[in-house]
Amino acid sequence: MNLALFDFDGTISSRDSFLLFLWHVNKTAVARTVLVHVPQIIAYKLGVYPPAKMKELFLGQLFAGRQLSDLQKVSEHYCNAVLPGIIREGFWKRLAWHRVNGDEIAVVSASPAFMLAPWCRLQGIELIGTEVETDAFGRLTGRIKGKNCMGREKVRRINLRYDISKFDILYGYGDSGADLDMLELADPENRFYKPFR
């Protein structure tokens, strides 16, 4: 059996799905957060403010104290009504090819897992994503649980989910430096960088 590993944002999708989700949930709160945190956003764009901290900044501002179960319901609507509009056409062809081959397929994303879970479930695709921290009452704290699922963390999480030595062929699909470690798991001829552009 073979294993196909797909990054989501920029690879499967044409836009940042997390930012689009935030906008979908509360445009006013997103705009306010951006205005208040301009220095951090500039630092993030310059590569000096960690992606995990940026994610926690928005999670904290928009979702701290909210029930995860409520956000999962919002995610269902988002995945049905909004997400299909940003999926790259080439992905569907490649997904069909892997399905015909009987391959195991997984999305490995830095986006919050709760946000992409309904879409992956609908497609019959496994999901490895960034987990969010909740308190004893199921409310988001605004922090990430564990590490942001990017770079070496993608590889660590893949190895926790799969015994990759049992697969005949590994395919890797990504579009940024945060995906390069994951792509290294695949043989050179099966590494696809920005494949659906």
Side-chain angles (χ1 to χ4, degrees), residues 130-146:
T130 297
E131 299 295 338
V132 294
E133 184 183 83
T134 56
D135 65 15
F137 302 99
R139 299 174 302 206
L140 270 70
T141 65
R143 293 186 295 271
I144 290 169
K145 182 180 178 181

PDB file of all heavy atoms in Angstrom, residues 130-146:
ATOM      1  N   THR A 130      -3.110  21.000  13.601  1.00  0.00           N
ATOM      2  CA  THR A 130      -2.794  21.639  14.867  1.00  0.00           C
ATOM      3  C   THR A 130      -3.974  21.483  15.823  1.00  0.00           C
ATOM      4  O   THR A 130      -5.113  21.751  15.453  1.00  0.00           O
ATOM      5  CB  THR A 130      -2.471  23.129  14.654  1.00  0.00           C
ATOM      6  OG1 THR A 130      -1.303  23.236  13.821  1.00  0.00           O
ATOM      7  CG2 THR A 130      -2.209  23.843  15.970  1.00  0.00           C
ATOM      8  N   GLU A 131      -3.685  21.044  17.017  1.00  0.00           N
ATOM      9  CA  GLU A 131      -4.727  20.857  18.024  1.00  0.00           C
ATOM     10  C   GLU A 131      -4.824  22.096  18.907  1.00  0.00           C
ATOM     11  O   GLU A 131      -3.824  22.755  19.180  1.00  0.00           O
ATOM     12  CB  GLU A 131      -4.430  19.629  18.890  1.00  0.00           C
ATOM     13  CG  GLU A 131      -4.360  18.318  18.116  1.00  0.00           C
ATOM     14  CD  GLU A 131      -5.675  17.906  17.482  1.00  0.00           C
ATOM     15  OE1 GLU A 131      -6.740  18.373  17.952  1.00  0.00           O
ATOM     16  OE2 GLU A 131      -5.647  17.107  16.525  1.00  0.00           O
ATOM     17  N   VAL A 132      -6.021  22.412  19.340  1.00  0.00           N
ATOM     18  CA  VAL A 132      -6.226  23.566  20.215  1.00  0.00           C
ATOM     19  C   VAL A 132      -6.442  23.088  21.649  1.00  0.00           C
ATOM     20  O   VAL A 132      -6.999  22.014  21.880  1.00  0.00           O
ATOM     21  CB  VAL A 132      -7.414  24.436  19.752  1.00  0.00           C
ATOM     22  CG1 VAL A 132      -7.103  25.083  18.414  1.00  0.00           C
ATOM     23  CG2 VAL A 132      -8.703  23.627  19.676  1.00  0.00           C
ATOM     24  N   GLU A 133      -5.997  23.898  22.577  1.00  0.00           N
ATOM     25  CA  GLU A 133      -6.134  23.559  23.992  1.00  0.00           C
ATOM     26  C   GLU A 133      -7.517  23.959  24.498  1.00  0.00           C
ATOM     27  O   GLU A 133      -8.034  25.019  24.147  1.00  0.00           O
ATOM     28  CB  GLU A 133      -5.058  24.302  24.784  1.00  0.00           C
ATOM     29  CG  GLU A 133      -5.027  23.977  26.269  1.00  0.00           C
ATOM     30  CD  GLU A 133      -3.986  24.804  26.996  1.00  0.00           C
ATOM     31  OE1 GLU A 133      -4.291  25.967  27.351  1.00  0.00           O
ATOM     32  OE2 GLU A 133      -2.869  24.297  27.189  1.00  0.00           O
ATOM     33  N   THR A 134      -8.107  23.095  25.311  1.00  0.00           N
ATOM     34  CA  THR A 134      -9.388  23.399  25.948  1.00  0.00           C
ATOM     35  C   THR A 134      -9.254  23.203  27.455  1.00  0.00           C
ATOM     36  O   THR A 134      -8.385  22.459  27.925  1.00  0.00           O
ATOM     37  CB  THR A 134     -10.522  22.497  25.417  1.00  0.00           C
ATOM     38  OG1 THR A 134     -10.148  21.124  25.606  1.00  0.00           O
ATOM     39  CG2 THR A 134     -10.787  22.751  23.953  1.00  0.00           C
ATOM     40  N   ASP A 135     -10.132  23.877  28.201  1.00  0.00           N
ATOM     41  CA  ASP A 135     -10.126  23.703  29.649  1.00  0.00           C
ATOM     42  C   ASP A 135     -11.008  22.515  30.034  1.00  0.00           C
ATOM     43  O   ASP A 135     -11.499  21.785  29.166  1.00  0.00           O
ATOM     44  CB  ASP A 135     -10.556  25.002  30.349  1.00  0.00           C
ATOM     45  CG  ASP A 135     -12.014  25.388  30.056  1.00  0.00           C
ATOM     46  OD1 ASP A 135     -12.792  24.549  29.553  1.00  0.00           O
ATOM     47  OD2 ASP A 135     -12.373  26.549  30.332  1.00  0.00           O
ATOM     48  N   ALA A 136     -11.221  22.339  31.326  1.00  0.00           N
ATOM     49  CA  ALA A 136     -11.985  21.189  31.817  1.00  0.00           C
ATOM     50  C   ALA A 136     -13.443  21.215  31.375  1.00  0.00           C
ATOM     51  O   ALA A 136     -14.130  20.195  31.438  1.00  0.00           O
ATOM     52  CB  ALA A 136     -11.909  21.141  33.341  1.00  0.00           C
ATOM     53  N   PHE A 137     -13.912  22.371  30.899  1.00  0.00           N
ATOM     54  CA  PHE A 137     -15.310  22.518  30.479  1.00  0.00           C
ATOM     55  C   PHE A 137     -15.460  22.545  28.954  1.00  0.00           C
ATOM     56  O   PHE A 137     -16.525  22.876  28.437  1.00  0.00           O
ATOM     57  CB  PHE A 137     -15.903  23.791  31.089  1.00  0.00           C
ATOM     58  CG  PHE A 137     -15.843  23.814  32.590  1.00  0.00           C
ATOM     59  CD1 PHE A 137     -14.831  24.506  33.240  1.00  0.00           C
ATOM     60  CD2 PHE A 137     -16.769  23.109  33.343  1.00  0.00           C
ATOM     61  CE1 PHE A 137     -14.757  24.510  34.628  1.00  0.00           C
ATOM     62  CE2 PHE A 137     -16.704  23.113  34.733  1.00  0.00           C
ATOM     63  CZ  PHE A 137     -15.690  23.812  35.379  1.00  0.00           C
ATOM     64  N   GLY A 138     -14.378  22.207  28.230  1.00  0.00           N
ATOM     65  CA  GLY A 138     -14.444  22.158  26.776  1.00  0.00           C
ATOM     66  C   GLY A 138     -14.375  23.504  26.105  1.00  0.00           C
ATOM     67  O   GLY A 138     -14.729  23.642  24.926  1.00  0.00           O
ATOM     68  N   ARG A 139     -13.896  24.520  26.825  1.00  0.00           N
ATOM     69  CA  ARG A 139     -13.769  25.863  26.256  1.00  0.00           C
ATOM     70  C   ARG A 139     -12.342  26.111  25.798  1.00  0.00           C
ATOM     71  O   ARG A 139     -11.383  25.712  26.471  1.00  0.00           O
ATOM     72  CB  ARG A 139     -14.157  26.919  27.298  1.00  0.00           C
ATOM     73  CG  ARG A 139     -15.589  26.802  27.776  1.00  0.00           C
ATOM     74  CD  ARG A 139     -15.895  27.764  28.902  1.00  0.00           C
ATOM     75  NE  ARG A 139     -15.000  27.542  30.042  1.00  0.00           N
ATOM     76  CZ  ARG A 139     -15.317  27.842  31.296  1.00  0.00           C
ATOM     77  NH1 ARG A 139     -16.501  28.379  31.572  1.00  0.00           N
ATOM     78  NH2 ARG A 139     -14.465  27.619  32.277  1.00  0.00           N
ATOM     79  N   LEU A 140     -12.185  26.769  24.662  1.00  0.00           N
ATOM     80  CA  LEU A 140     -10.854  27.082  24.159  1.00  0.00           C
ATOM     81  C   LEU A 140     -10.136  28.054  25.092  1.00  0.00           C
ATOM     82  O   LEU A 140     -10.734  29.023  25.572  1.00  0.00           O
ATOM     83  CB  LEU A 140     -10.931  27.684  22.755  1.00  0.00           C
ATOM     84  CG  LEU A 140     -10.884  26.680  21.596  1.00  0.00           C
ATOM     85  CD1 LEU A 140     -12.158  25.870  21.530  1.00  0.00           C
ATOM     86  CD2 LEU A 140     -10.625  27.392  20.280  1.00  0.00           C
ATOM     87  N   THR A 141      -8.864  27.790  25.310  1.00  0.00           N
ATOM     88  CA  THR A 141      -8.050  28.691  26.129  1.00  0.00           C
ATOM     89  C   THR A 141      -7.407  29.784  25.279  1.00  0.00           C
ATOM     90  O   THR A 141      -6.920  30.771  25.812  1.00  0.00           O
ATOM     91  CB  THR A 141      -6.925  27.928  26.838  1.00  0.00           C
ATOM     92  OG1 THR A 141      -6.016  27.396  25.850  1.00  0.00           O
ATOM     93  CG2 THR A 141      -7.479  26.785  27.692  1.00  0.00           C
ATOM     94  N   GLY A 142      -7.377  29.575  23.951  1.00  0.00           N
ATOM     95  CA  GLY A 142      -6.671  30.494  23.067  1.00  0.00           C
ATOM     96  C   GLY A 142      -5.250  30.047  22.779  1.00  0.00           C
ATOM     97  O   GLY A 142      -4.521  30.712  22.039  1.00  0.00           O
ATOM     98  N   ARG A 143      -4.873  28.897  23.342  1.00  0.00           N
ATOM     99  CA  ARG A 143      -3.523  28.377  23.118  1.00  0.00           C
ATOM    100  C   ARG A 143      -3.569  27.095  22.287  1.00  0.00           C
ATOM    101  O   ARG A 143      -4.587  26.404  22.230  1.00  0.00           O
ATOM    102  CB  ARG A 143      -2.823  28.102  24.451  1.00  0.00           C
ATOM    103  CG  ARG A 143      -2.518  29.360  25.255  1.00  0.00           C
ATOM    104  CD  ARG A 143      -1.692  29.057  26.486  1.00  0.00           C
ATOM    105  NE  ARG A 143      -2.418  28.229  27.432  1.00  0.00           N
ATOM    106  CZ  ARG A 143      -3.209  28.711  28.395  1.00  0.00           C
ATOM    107  NH1 ARG A 143      -3.398  30.012  28.511  1.00  0.00           N
ATOM    108  NH2 ARG A 143      -3.823  27.878  29.228  1.00  0.00           N
ATOM    109  N   ILE A 144      -2.453  26.806  21.663  1.00  0.00           N
ATOM    110  CA  ILE A 144      -2.280  25.558  20.917  1.00  0.00           C
ATOM    111  C   ILE A 144      -1.946  24.442  21.898  1.00  0.00           C
ATOM    112  O   ILE A 144      -1.209  24.643  22.864  1.00  0.00           O
ATOM    113  CB  ILE A 144      -1.148  25.725  19.871  1.00  0.00           C
ATOM    114  CG1 ILE A 144      -1.601  26.657  18.743  1.00  0.00           C
ATOM    115  CG2 ILE A 144      -0.714  24.376  19.314  1.00  0.00           C
ATOM    116  CD1 ILE A 144      -0.474  27.065  17.825  1.00  0.00           C
ATOM    117  N   LYS A 145      -2.479  23.263  21.642  1.00  0.00           N
ATOM    118  CA  LYS A 145      -2.138  22.081  22.437  1.00  0.00           C
ATOM    119  C   LYS A 145      -0.961  21.389  21.765  1.00  0.00           C
ATOM    120  O   LYS A 145      -1.066  20.933  20.626  1.00  0.00           O
ATOM    121  CB  LYS A 145      -3.336  21.137  22.510  1.00  0.00           C
ATOM    122  CG  LYS A 145      -3.101  19.892  23.354  1.00  0.00           C
ATOM    123  CD  LYS A 145      -4.347  19.027  23.364  1.00  0.00           C
ATOM    124  CE  LYS A 145      -4.125  17.755  24.150  1.00  0.00           C
ATOM    125  NZ  LYS A 145      -5.342  16.897  24.125  1.00  0.00           N
ATOM    126  N   GLY A 146       0.160  21.323  22.454  1.00  0.00           N
ATOM    127  CA  GLY A 146       1.358  20.767  21.847  1.00  0.00           C
ATOM    128  C   GLY A 146       2.015  21.795  20.955  1.00  0.00           C
ATOM    129  O   GLY A 146       2.092  22.970  21.298  1.00  0.00           O
TER     130      GLY A 146
END
